Amino acid sequence: MHRIVFLGPPGAGKGTQAATLAKELGIPHLSTGDLLRTAVRARSPLGQEAEGYMRAGRLVPDDLVLRLLRERLAAPEAARGFLLDGFPRNRAQAEALEAVTPVDRVVAFEIDPTILVQRLSDRRVCPVCAAVYNLTSQPPKQDLLCDRDQAPLDHRPDDRPEAIRTRLEVYRQETAPLEAFYRERGLLRPVRADGTPAEVAARLRTVVEEGMPGATRTTSPPTKRPSQ
Ligand code: AMP
């Protein structure tokens, strides 16, 4: 069973890593940001309510996010686990999650904050498949078109300077304290998030496999107990 939470500031690479790892583990990648952006594009009542908060870089009210997430966590695809990316974002959400399901691992992405602003400004995303690109380090093959479906890439409104500042501040105040919340529960595993996506992915696999019997790929070495 893999019930994993990715914790880390915007721009740390959670989405990129979550997409790959979830596929490898055969579990759903549940990104509340992606679910909310889909609702905004669909102009659903929930999406319309969420849009202003997102544009400003503020957190969407907890009840809206929980409404989106609950049914995904209860769906049959999540029976073998899930990878939560961008949730929980504050203590109330962490407590709500605890009431719905246990979690096995919380991976904390650790990164120098000065790198984040550059990464977010250079980020472009595919509005169709949510693939993430970086104009400097991971550019699309064709200028500003998604490699998979050729859709024109978006520059998210909240990846612009003013909203970036707000998002980093919201992270510092509301989300970062969750590290202590999960450390107290013995679930927190820090991972250095600098370097290339492949380097981060390798560190991540070590952390995810550790202490999970029969956890992942058949090529992995015998499972180690976590060192205390
Ligand atoms: P992300 O794609 O995770 O960076 O999320 C983009 C935006 O969606 C955030 O800045 C928030 O406005 C909103 N959002 C995503 N996840 C949550 C959450 N768990 N709680 C509240 N708002 C969220």
Side-chain angles (χ1 to χ4, degrees), residues 149-164:
D149 46 43
Q150 268 66 55
L153 300 179
D154 273 349
H155 188 193
R156 281 170 43 176
D158 58 346
D159 278 347
R160 295 166 205 270
E162 187 53 39
I164 291 176

Side-chain angles (χ1 to χ4, degrees), residues 10 14 31-34 36-37 53-55 57-62 65 85-89 93 123 156 158 167:
K14 300 186 301 298
S31 156
T32 42
D34 285 347
L36 286 164
R37 278 184 288 277
Y53 296 97
M54 295 175 75
R55 198 168 270 280
R58 309 219 63 90
L59 292 187
V60 171
D62 296 339
V65 182
D85 159 18
F87 184 95
R89 285 280 233 277
Q93 292 183 6
R123 176 160 74 178
R156 281 170 43 176
D158 58 346
R167 289 164 71 206

Side-chain angles (χ1 to χ4, degrees), residues 8 15 20 39 44 77 94 98 100 110 144 172 178 189 194 198 220:
T20 316
S44 71
E77 302 89 88
E98 247 180 357
V100 175
E110 298 197 324
L144 295 179
R172 199 178 65 78
L178 293 183
R189 301 289 182 279
D194 57 326
S220 50

Side-chain angles (χ1 to χ4, degrees), residues 102-140:
V103 161
D104 304 303
R105 284 274 182 288
V106 177
V107 179
F109 282 59
E110 298 197 324
I111 188 146
D112 176 352
T114 57
I115 301 176
L116 297 175
V117 179
Q118 189 61 47
R119 277 201 189 175
L120 290 170
S121 316
D122 284 354
R123 176 160 74 178
R124 296 294 181 276
V125 291
C126 173
V128 175
C129 71
V132 181
Y133 297 86
N134 181 291
L135 295 182
T136 318
S137 58
Q138 294 250 289

